[in-house]
C-alpha cells in the first residue's frame, strides 16, 4: 500500500477518465466489458456512463451483438461532441481549423491576406475565419472548447501577452487586441510549440522529440515525454537564434548576426523563386543549377543543426515548417549528411523524420491545447 492519500473526488474523476478513455480507445463497448476490463464496480460504471451520456460524450443508440442472450447496449464514443478551433497567423495567410476530440481536422479555412495587426479589417478577418470554420464544422457555442491562436512570437505564461514578436510585427500586442473579433475563450500559443505538439499528439511513440520549424522564420520545440518543454522563460527550443556563423554572418531580424534563422529560413530558398516554395522545389527537381547550389548550402547548415540537436537531446528530430513539408524526397541525402557528422554510429534514418502535417500544423496544434484541457478535466 502506498502512503499517498487520494481524495474521494479525485477517485471519482479518475474513474470517469478511465472509463471515458477506454470507450474513446475502443470506439464502442458494452457496460459489462467496461466492468471486466477496467475492474470497476457496476454502480461506478453505471453512474459514470450516465454522466458521460448526459454530457453528450457517448451515444447509446447502438447495440452490440451477443452470442446467445439479448444484445447489449453499445456505449459509443462521440468524437465530435466537443471541438476546438485553432488559428494560425502568418505573413500572408490566416488559417483556421476545427479539431474534434480525436484531433481530426473537421473543417479548414485558409485565407490569403497580408499581416497587419494595425488594420481593423485584418482583425475582423481573423474573426470571420474563425466563424467560417465554426459554421462549417457545425459547432454549437456550448460545444466550442476554445480558440487557440498560433503566432510567430514568444508568449507569456497565461497566453495573454506577446513577450517577443520580431519575426512579424507582433511586438507589444496583447491577446485582446489580436482576438478583438473572436468572442470565445481564446489564448495565444507560440507557433513552433503548436506545430511540434501537433506532430507528437498524434504520434505518441515519439515520446522525446525536437521539432524544427523551417518556415519564413526558424523556430523549434522540445518535446519531452509527449509534453512541450518550454524552459524557464518560454524560450525553450528557439534554435532560430543559435549562433551558427561565427564571423561575418548575415543580419538576423533579431538584430544579431549569424543566427541559424539567417541560413535556414525558407527565404534562403524562395528568394530565388519570388517567394514560392513550390516553384523552388520544382526547379530543384528539374536540375536547375542555382536551386541546386542554394539547396546544397541550405543542407550544410541544416544538417549541422540536426546533428547538434541530436547530440543535445538524443531523441527523434522532426523537420517541419514549409521546408520540412518538402523534405520527404530528400531524406536519404539529408540522413547521409547527418550521419557523416555523427560519432556514435546511430543512423539518422532511425531518428530523423519529415513532418506529417503541413500547412495546418500550427493551427491544429493551437486547437489541441483546448482539447487536452478538456480531456484532462473531464
Ligand atoms: Zn537572430
Amino acid at each position: 500500500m502506498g502512503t499517498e492519500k487520494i481524495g474521494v473526488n479525485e477517485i471519482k474523476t479518475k474513474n470517469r477518465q478511465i472509463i471515458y478513455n477506454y470507450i474513446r480507445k475502443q470506439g464502442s463497448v458494452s457496460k459489462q466489458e467496461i466492468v471486466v476490463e477496467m475492474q470497476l464496480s457496476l454502480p461506478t460504471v453505471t453512474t459514470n456512463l450516465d454522466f458521460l451520456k448526459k454530457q453528450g460524450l457517448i451515444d447509446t443508440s447502438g447495440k452490440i451483438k451477443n452470442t446467445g442472450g439479448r444484445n447489449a447496449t453499445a456505449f459509443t464514443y462521440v468524437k465530435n461532441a466537443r471541438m476546438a478551433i485553432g488559428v494560425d497567423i502568418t505573413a500572408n495567410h490566416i488559417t483556421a481549423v476545427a479539431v474534434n476530440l480525436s484531433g481530426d481536422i473537421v473543417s479548414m479555412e485558409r485565407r490569403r491576406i497580408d499581416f497587419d495587426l494595425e488594420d481593423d479589417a485584418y482583425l475582423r478577418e481573423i474573426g470571420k475565419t474563425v466563424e467560417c470554420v465554426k459554421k462549417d464544422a457545425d459547432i454549437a457555442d456550448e460545444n466550442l472548447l476554445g480558440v487557440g491562436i498560433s503566432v510567430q512570437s514568444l508568449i507569456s505564461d497565461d497566453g495573454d501577452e506577446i513577450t517577443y514578436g520580431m519575426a512579424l510585427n507582433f511586438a507589444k500586442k496583447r491577446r485582446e487586441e489580436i482576438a478583438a473579433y473572436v468572442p470565445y475563450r481564446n489564448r495565444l500559443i507560440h507557433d513552433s510549440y503548436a506545430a511540434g505538439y501537433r506532430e507528437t499528439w498524434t504520434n505518441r511513440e515519439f515520446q522525446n522529440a525536437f521539432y524544427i520549424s523551417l518556415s519564413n522564420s526558424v523556430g523549434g520545440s522540445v518535446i519531452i515525454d509527449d509534453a512541450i518543454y518550454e524552459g524557464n522563460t518560454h524560450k525553450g527550443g528557439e534554435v532560430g537564434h543559435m549562433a551558427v556563423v561565427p564571423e561575418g554572418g548575415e543580419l538576423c531580424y533579431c538584430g544579431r548576426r549569424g543566427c541559424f534563422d539567417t541560413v535556414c529560413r525558407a527565404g534562403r530558398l524562395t528568394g530565388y523563386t519570388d517567394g514560392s516554395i513550390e516553384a523552388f522545389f520544382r526547379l530543384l527537381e528539374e536540375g536547375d543549377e542555382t536551386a541546386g547550389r542554394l539547396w546544397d548550402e541550405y543542407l550544410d547548415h541544416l544538417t549541422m543543426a540536426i546533428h547538434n540537436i541530436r547530440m543535445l537531446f538524443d531523441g527523434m528530430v522532426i523537420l517541419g515548417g514549409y521546408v520540412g513539408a518538402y523534405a520527404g524526397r530528400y531524406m536519404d541525402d539529408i540522413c547521409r549528411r547527418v550521419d557523416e557528422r555523427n560519432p556514435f554510429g546511430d543512423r539518422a534514418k532511425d531518428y530523423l523524420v519529415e513532418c506529417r502535417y503541413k500547412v495546418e500544423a500550427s493551427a491544429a496544434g493551437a486547437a489541441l491545447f483546448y482539447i487536452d484541457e478538456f480531456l484532462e478535466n473531464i
Side-chain angles (χ1 to χ4, degrees), residues 116-142:
D116 184 2
L117 292 178
E118 302 305 324
D119 182 1
D120 193 60
Y122 182 80
L123 299 177
R124 280 179 195 276
E125 201 61 26
I126 296 174
K128 281 186 208 162
T129 316
V130 168
E131 293 300 338
C132 177
V133 291
K134 180 172 179 276
K135 188 161 176 262
D136 190 48
D138 198 18
I139 314 172
D141 281 2
E142 65 273 21

PDB file of all heavy atoms in Angstrom, residues 116-142:
ATOM      1  N   ASP A 116      -1.324  42.462 -40.839  1.00  0.00           N
ATOM      2  CA  ASP A 116      -1.301  43.852 -40.406  1.00  0.00           C
ATOM      3  C   ASP A 116      -2.218  44.046 -39.201  1.00  0.00           C
ATOM      4  O   ASP A 116      -3.418  44.305 -39.331  1.00  0.00           O
ATOM      5  CB  ASP A 116      -1.748  44.777 -41.550  1.00  0.00           C
ATOM      6  CG  ASP A 116      -1.632  46.245 -41.158  1.00  0.00           C
ATOM      7  OD1 ASP A 116      -1.176  46.527 -40.025  1.00  0.00           O
ATOM      8  OD2 ASP A 116      -2.000  47.104 -41.976  1.00  0.00           O
ATOM      9  N   LEU A 117      -1.641  43.899 -38.024  1.00  0.00           N
ATOM     10  CA  LEU A 117      -2.456  43.978 -36.806  1.00  0.00           C
ATOM     11  C   LEU A 117      -2.968  45.382 -36.529  1.00  0.00           C
ATOM     12  O   LEU A 117      -3.832  45.584 -35.674  1.00  0.00           O
ATOM     13  CB  LEU A 117      -1.650  43.472 -35.598  1.00  0.00           C
ATOM     14  CG  LEU A 117      -1.307  41.981 -35.575  1.00  0.00           C
ATOM     15  CD1 LEU A 117      -0.475  41.656 -34.350  1.00  0.00           C
ATOM     16  CD2 LEU A 117      -2.550  41.105 -35.603  1.00  0.00           C
ATOM     17  N   GLU A 118      -2.438  46.368 -37.239  1.00  0.00           N
ATOM     18  CA  GLU A 118      -2.884  47.749 -37.029  1.00  0.00           C
ATOM     19  C   GLU A 118      -4.187  48.018 -37.790  1.00  0.00           C
ATOM     20  O   GLU A 118      -4.852  49.022 -37.552  1.00  0.00           O
ATOM     21  CB  GLU A 118      -1.816  48.744 -37.520  1.00  0.00           C
ATOM     22  CG  GLU A 118      -0.449  48.598 -36.850  1.00  0.00           C
ATOM     23  CD  GLU A 118      -0.520  48.680 -35.328  1.00  0.00           C
ATOM     24  OE1 GLU A 118      -1.345  49.454 -34.824  1.00  0.00           O
ATOM     25  OE2 GLU A 118       0.231  47.927 -34.665  1.00  0.00           O
ATOM     26  N   ASP A 119      -4.500  47.131 -38.718  1.00  0.00           N
ATOM     27  CA  ASP A 119      -5.656  47.340 -39.580  1.00  0.00           C
ATOM     28  C   ASP A 119      -6.874  46.601 -39.016  1.00  0.00           C
ATOM     29  O   ASP A 119      -6.869  45.378 -38.884  1.00  0.00           O
ATOM     30  CB  ASP A 119      -5.303  46.808 -40.985  1.00  0.00           C
ATOM     31  CG  ASP A 119      -6.437  47.040 -41.973  1.00  0.00           C
ATOM     32  OD1 ASP A 119      -7.468  47.627 -41.584  1.00  0.00           O
ATOM     33  OD2 ASP A 119      -6.286  46.612 -43.132  1.00  0.00           O
ATOM     34  N   ASP A 120      -7.915  47.349 -38.696  1.00  0.00           N
ATOM     35  CA  ASP A 120      -9.110  46.743 -38.111  1.00  0.00           C
ATOM     36  C   ASP A 120      -9.722  45.691 -39.047  1.00  0.00           C
ATOM     37  O   ASP A 120     -10.242  44.667 -38.587  1.00  0.00           O
ATOM     38  CB  ASP A 120     -10.136  47.827 -37.795  1.00  0.00           C
ATOM     39  CG  ASP A 120     -11.241  47.308 -36.901  1.00  0.00           C
ATOM     40  OD1 ASP A 120     -10.932  46.871 -35.778  1.00  0.00           O
ATOM     41  OD2 ASP A 120     -12.406  47.308 -37.338  1.00  0.00           O
ATOM     42  N   ALA A 121      -9.611  45.941 -40.349  1.00  0.00           N
ATOM     43  CA  ALA A 121     -10.166  44.985 -41.320  1.00  0.00           C
ATOM     44  C   ALA A 121      -9.448  43.632 -41.207  1.00  0.00           C
ATOM     45  O   ALA A 121     -10.059  42.574 -41.381  1.00  0.00           O
ATOM     46  CB  ALA A 121     -10.022  45.537 -42.739  1.00  0.00           C
ATOM     47  N   TYR A 122      -8.156  43.675 -40.912  1.00  0.00           N
ATOM     48  CA  TYR A 122      -7.389  42.437 -40.743  1.00  0.00           C
ATOM     49  C   TYR A 122      -7.864  41.679 -39.499  1.00  0.00           C
ATOM     50  O   TYR A 122      -8.080  40.469 -39.542  1.00  0.00           O
ATOM     51  CB  TYR A 122      -5.889  42.758 -40.632  1.00  0.00           C
ATOM     52  CG  TYR A 122      -5.021  41.527 -40.495  1.00  0.00           C
ATOM     53  CD1 TYR A 122      -4.681  40.773 -41.612  1.00  0.00           C
ATOM     54  CD2 TYR A 122      -4.561  41.106 -39.244  1.00  0.00           C
ATOM     55  CE1 TYR A 122      -3.900  39.631 -41.490  1.00  0.00           C
ATOM     56  CE2 TYR A 122      -3.784  39.969 -39.116  1.00  0.00           C
ATOM     57  CZ  TYR A 122      -3.451  39.236 -40.240  1.00  0.00           C
ATOM     58  OH  TYR A 122      -2.683  38.103 -40.112  1.00  0.00           O
ATOM     59  N   LEU A 123      -8.063  42.414 -38.413  1.00  0.00           N
ATOM     60  CA  LEU A 123      -8.527  41.783 -37.175  1.00  0.00           C
ATOM     61  C   LEU A 123      -9.925  41.177 -37.373  1.00  0.00           C
ATOM     62  O   LEU A 123     -10.223  40.096 -36.870  1.00  0.00           O
ATOM     63  CB  LEU A 123      -8.556  42.804 -36.034  1.00  0.00           C
ATOM     64  CG  LEU A 123      -7.201  43.437 -35.691  1.00  0.00           C
ATOM     65  CD1 LEU A 123      -7.367  44.482 -34.593  1.00  0.00           C
ATOM     66  CD2 LEU A 123      -6.201  42.369 -35.235  1.00  0.00           C
ATOM     67  N   ARG A 124     -10.757  41.885 -38.132  1.00  0.00           N
ATOM     68  CA  ARG A 124     -12.085  41.347 -38.440  1.00  0.00           C
ATOM     69  C   ARG A 124     -11.979  40.064 -39.255  1.00  0.00           C
ATOM     70  O   ARG A 124     -12.771  39.134 -39.092  1.00  0.00           O
ATOM     71  CB  ARG A 124     -12.900  42.364 -39.248  1.00  0.00           C
ATOM     72  CG  ARG A 124     -13.518  43.443 -38.412  1.00  0.00           C
ATOM     73  CD  ARG A 124     -14.279  44.430 -39.296  1.00  0.00           C
ATOM     74  NE  ARG A 124     -14.572  45.648 -38.566  1.00  0.00           N
ATOM     75  CZ  ARG A 124     -15.619  45.785 -37.759  1.00  0.00           C
ATOM     76  NH1 ARG A 124     -16.481  44.808 -37.609  1.00  0.00           N
ATOM     77  NH2 ARG A 124     -15.808  46.906 -37.091  1.00  0.00           N
ATOM     78  N   GLU A 125     -10.987  40.019 -40.124  1.00  0.00           N
ATOM     79  CA  GLU A 125     -10.797  38.837 -40.975  1.00  0.00           C
ATOM     80  C   GLU A 125     -10.435  37.614 -40.108  1.00  0.00           C
ATOM     81  O   GLU A 125     -10.862  36.503 -40.403  1.00  0.00           O
ATOM     82  CB  GLU A 125      -9.690  39.119 -42.007  1.00  0.00           C
ATOM     83  CG  GLU A 125      -9.723  38.230 -43.229  1.00  0.00           C
ATOM     84  CD  GLU A 125     -11.001  38.341 -44.055  1.00  0.00           C
ATOM     85  OE1 GLU A 125     -11.662  39.403 -44.023  1.00  0.00           O
ATOM     86  OE2 GLU A 125     -11.339  37.340 -44.728  1.00  0.00           O
ATOM     87  N   ILE A 126      -9.678  37.844 -39.047  1.00  0.00           N
ATOM     88  CA  ILE A 126      -9.369  36.747 -38.121  1.00  0.00           C
ATOM     89  C   ILE A 126     -10.686  36.214 -37.551  1.00  0.00           C
ATOM     90  O   ILE A 126     -10.947  35.012 -37.545  1.00  0.00           O
ATOM     91  CB  ILE A 126      -8.434  37.223 -36.974  1.00  0.00           C
ATOM     92  CG1 ILE A 126      -7.069  37.653 -37.531  1.00  0.00           C
ATOM     93  CG2 ILE A 126      -8.261  36.116 -35.930  1.00  0.00           C
ATOM     94  CD1 ILE A 126      -6.127  38.268 -36.482  1.00  0.00           C
ATOM     95  N   GLY A 127     -11.533  37.132 -37.080  1.00  0.00           N
ATOM     96  CA  GLY A 127     -12.836  36.749 -36.525  1.00  0.00           C
ATOM     97  C   GLY A 127     -13.697  36.014 -37.544  1.00  0.00           C
ATOM     98  O   GLY A 127     -14.311  34.991 -37.236  1.00  0.00           O
ATOM     99  N   LYS A 128     -13.693  36.505 -38.773  1.00  0.00           N
ATOM    100  CA  LYS A 128     -14.526  35.878 -39.819  1.00  0.00           C
ATOM    101  C   LYS A 128     -14.041  34.473 -40.151  1.00  0.00           C
ATOM    102  O   LYS A 128     -14.845  33.577 -40.415  1.00  0.00           O
ATOM    103  CB  LYS A 128     -14.471  36.730 -41.094  1.00  0.00           C
ATOM    104  CG  LYS A 128     -15.364  37.950 -41.058  1.00  0.00           C
ATOM    105  CD  LYS A 128     -15.332  38.607 -42.435  1.00  0.00           C
ATOM    106  CE  LYS A 128     -15.593  40.098 -42.344  1.00  0.00           C
ATOM    107  NZ  LYS A 128     -15.154  40.815 -43.537  1.00  0.00           N
ATOM    108  N   THR A 129     -12.719  34.297 -40.162  1.00  0.00           N
ATOM    109  CA  THR A 129     -12.162  32.975 -40.474  1.00  0.00           C
ATOM    110  C   THR A 129     -12.578  31.968 -39.400  1.00  0.00           C
ATOM    111  O   THR A 129     -12.940  30.829 -39.685  1.00  0.00           O
ATOM    112  CB  THR A 129     -10.620  33.051 -40.598  1.00  0.00           C
ATOM    113  OG1 THR A 129     -10.282  34.198 -41.363  1.00  0.00           O
ATOM    114  CG2 THR A 129     -10.052  31.831 -41.279  1.00  0.00           C
ATOM    115  N   VAL A 130     -12.561  32.421 -38.142  1.00  0.00           N
ATOM    116  CA  VAL A 130     -13.000  31.555 -37.034  1.00  0.00           C
ATOM    117  C   VAL A 130     -14.479  31.198 -37.202  1.00  0.00           C
ATOM    118  O   VAL A 130     -14.866  30.029 -37.113  1.00  0.00           O
ATOM    119  CB  VAL A 130     -12.768  32.261 -35.667  1.00  0.00           C
ATOM    120  CG1 VAL A 130     -13.470  31.518 -34.541  1.00  0.00           C
ATOM    121  CG2 VAL A 130     -11.274  32.376 -35.377  1.00  0.00           C
ATOM    122  N   GLU A 131     -15.294  32.201 -37.482  1.00  0.00           N
ATOM    123  CA  GLU A 131     -16.735  31.945 -37.645  1.00  0.00           C
ATOM    124  C   GLU A 131     -16.986  30.981 -38.803  1.00  0.00           C
ATOM    125  O   GLU A 131     -17.888  30.146 -38.752  1.00  0.00           O
ATOM    126  CB  GLU A 131     -17.501  33.248 -37.900  1.00  0.00           C
ATOM    127  CG  GLU A 131     -17.521  34.210 -36.721  1.00  0.00           C
ATOM    128  CD  GLU A 131     -18.159  33.636 -35.457  1.00  0.00           C
ATOM    129  OE1 GLU A 131     -18.946  32.685 -35.551  1.00  0.00           O
ATOM    130  OE2 GLU A 131     -17.851  34.155 -34.362  1.00  0.00           O
ATOM    131  N   CYS A 132     -16.180  31.113 -39.827  1.00  0.00           N
ATOM    132  CA  CYS A 132     -16.348  30.271 -41.011  1.00  0.00           C
ATOM    133  C   CYS A 132     -16.154  28.784 -40.677  1.00  0.00           C
ATOM    134  O   CYS A 132     -16.990  27.956 -41.037  1.00  0.00           O
ATOM    135  CB  CYS A 132     -15.357  30.738 -42.084  1.00  0.00           C
ATOM    136  SG  CYS A 132     -15.386  29.735 -43.553  1.00  0.00           S
ATOM    137  N   VAL A 133     -15.077  28.443 -39.968  1.00  0.00           N
ATOM    138  CA  VAL A 133     -14.885  27.017 -39.634  1.00  0.00           C
ATOM    139  C   VAL A 133     -15.879  26.561 -38.570  1.00  0.00           C
ATOM    140  O   VAL A 133     -16.303  25.400 -38.562  1.00  0.00           O
ATOM    141  CB  VAL A 133     -13.442  26.669 -39.181  1.00  0.00           C
ATOM    142  CG1 VAL A 133     -12.463  26.766 -40.316  1.00  0.00           C
ATOM    143  CG2 VAL A 133     -12.994  27.472 -38.001  1.00  0.00           C
ATOM    144  N   LYS A 134     -16.267  27.472 -37.699  1.00  0.00           N
ATOM    145  CA  LYS A 134     -17.244  27.112 -36.657  1.00  0.00           C
ATOM    146  C   LYS A 134     -18.559  26.702 -37.312  1.00  0.00           C
ATOM    147  O   LYS A 134     -19.172  25.701 -36.945  1.00  0.00           O
ATOM    148  CB  LYS A 134     -17.449  28.299 -35.714  1.00  0.00           C
ATOM    149  CG  LYS A 134     -18.449  28.039 -34.604  1.00  0.00           C
ATOM    150  CD  LYS A 134     -18.448  29.176 -33.595  1.00  0.00           C
ATOM    151  CE  LYS A 134     -19.467  28.927 -32.494  1.00  0.00           C
ATOM    152  NZ  LYS A 134     -20.823  29.342 -32.842  1.00  0.00           N
ATOM    153  N   LYS A 135     -18.951  27.470 -38.290  1.00  0.00           N
ATOM    154  CA  LYS A 135     -20.202  27.202 -39.003  1.00  0.00           C
ATOM    155  C   LYS A 135     -20.071  25.919 -39.829  1.00  0.00           C
ATOM    156  O   LYS A 135     -20.943  25.047 -39.802  1.00  0.00           O
ATOM    157  CB  LYS A 135     -20.519  28.394 -39.907  1.00  0.00           C
ATOM    158  CG  LYS A 135     -21.871  28.331 -40.551  1.00  0.00           C
ATOM    159  CD  LYS A 135     -22.302  29.717 -41.039  1.00  0.00           C
ATOM    160  CE  LYS A 135     -23.626  29.622 -41.774  1.00  0.00           C
ATOM    161  NZ  LYS A 135     -23.495  29.564 -43.216  1.00  0.00           N
ATOM    162  N   ASP A 136     -18.970  25.827 -40.539  1.00  0.00           N
ATOM    163  CA  ASP A 136     -18.751  24.674 -41.412  1.00  0.00           C
ATOM    164  C   ASP A 136     -18.692  23.358 -40.622  1.00  0.00           C
ATOM    165  O   ASP A 136     -19.175  22.325 -41.073  1.00  0.00           O
ATOM    166  CB  ASP A 136     -17.441  24.890 -42.191  1.00  0.00           C
ATOM    167  CG  ASP A 136     -17.273  23.856 -43.281  1.00  0.00           C
ATOM    168  OD1 ASP A 136     -18.245  23.646 -44.031  1.00  0.00           O
ATOM    169  OD2 ASP A 136     -16.192  23.256 -43.379  1.00  0.00           O
ATOM    170  N   ALA A 137     -18.082  23.415 -39.436  1.00  0.00           N
ATOM    171  CA  ALA A 137     -17.976  22.200 -38.613  1.00  0.00           C
ATOM    172  C   ALA A 137     -19.209  22.019 -37.739  1.00  0.00           C
ATOM    173  O   ALA A 137     -19.309  21.057 -36.981  1.00  0.00           O
ATOM    174  CB  ALA A 137     -16.724  22.276 -37.738  1.00  0.00           C
ATOM    175  N   ASP A 138     -20.150  22.967 -37.843  1.00  0.00           N
ATOM    176  CA  ASP A 138     -21.409  22.897 -37.123  1.00  0.00           C
ATOM    177  C   ASP A 138     -21.205  22.788 -35.607  1.00  0.00           C
ATOM    178  O   ASP A 138     -21.720  21.869 -34.954  1.00  0.00           O
ATOM    179  CB  ASP A 138     -22.198  21.677 -37.653  1.00  0.00           C
ATOM    180  CG  ASP A 138     -23.669  21.758 -37.297  1.00  0.00           C
ATOM    181  OD1 ASP A 138     -24.117  22.868 -36.961  1.00  0.00           O
ATOM    182  OD2 ASP A 138     -24.340  20.714 -37.330  1.00  0.00           O
ATOM    183  N   ILE A 139     -20.422  23.704 -35.069  1.00  0.00           N
ATOM    184  CA  ILE A 139     -20.127  23.674 -33.626  1.00  0.00           C
ATOM    185  C   ILE A 139     -21.060  24.638 -32.892  1.00  0.00           C
ATOM    186  O   ILE A 139     -21.067  25.842 -33.153  1.00  0.00           O
ATOM    187  CB  ILE A 139     -18.672  24.119 -33.337  1.00  0.00           C
ATOM    188  CG1 ILE A 139     -17.680  23.442 -34.295  1.00  0.00           C
ATOM    189  CG2 ILE A 139     -18.303  23.825 -31.885  1.00  0.00           C
ATOM    190  CD1 ILE A 139     -16.260  23.981 -34.194  1.00  0.00           C
ATOM    191  N   ALA A 140     -21.846  24.078 -31.963  1.00  0.00           N
ATOM    192  CA  ALA A 140     -22.705  24.938 -31.135  1.00  0.00           C
ATOM    193  C   ALA A 140     -21.818  25.666 -30.131  1.00  0.00           C
ATOM    194  O   ALA A 140     -20.771  25.146 -29.740  1.00  0.00           O
ATOM    195  CB  ALA A 140     -23.729  24.086 -30.402  1.00  0.00           C
ATOM    196  N   ASP A 141     -22.234  26.871 -29.725  1.00  0.00           N
ATOM    197  CA  ASP A 141     -21.422  27.660 -28.787  1.00  0.00           C
ATOM    198  C   ASP A 141     -20.983  26.847 -27.566  1.00  0.00           C
ATOM    199  O   ASP A 141     -19.836  26.913 -27.149  1.00  0.00           O
ATOM    200  CB  ASP A 141     -22.212  28.888 -28.296  1.00  0.00           C
ATOM    201  CG  ASP A 141     -22.197  29.995 -29.345  1.00  0.00           C
ATOM    202  OD1 ASP A 141     -21.618  29.769 -30.431  1.00  0.00           O
ATOM    203  OD2 ASP A 141     -22.775  31.062 -29.081  1.00  0.00           O
ATOM    204  N   GLU A 142     -21.926  26.079 -27.014  1.00  0.00           N
ATOM    205  CA  GLU A 142     -21.608  25.358 -25.774  1.00  0.00           C
ATOM    206  C   GLU A 142     -20.641  24.186 -26.003  1.00  0.00           C
ATOM    207  O   GLU A 142     -20.074  23.652 -25.059  1.00  0.00           O
ATOM    208  CB  GLU A 142     -22.887  24.883 -25.056  1.00  0.00           C
ATOM    209  CG  GLU A 142     -23.713  23.845 -25.811  1.00  0.00           C
ATOM    210  CD  GLU A 142     -24.731  24.476 -26.782  1.00  0.00           C
ATOM    211  OE1 GLU A 142     -24.541  25.655 -27.168  1.00  0.00           O
ATOM    212  OE2 GLU A 142     -25.686  23.776 -27.160  1.00  0.00           O
TER     213      GLU A 142
END
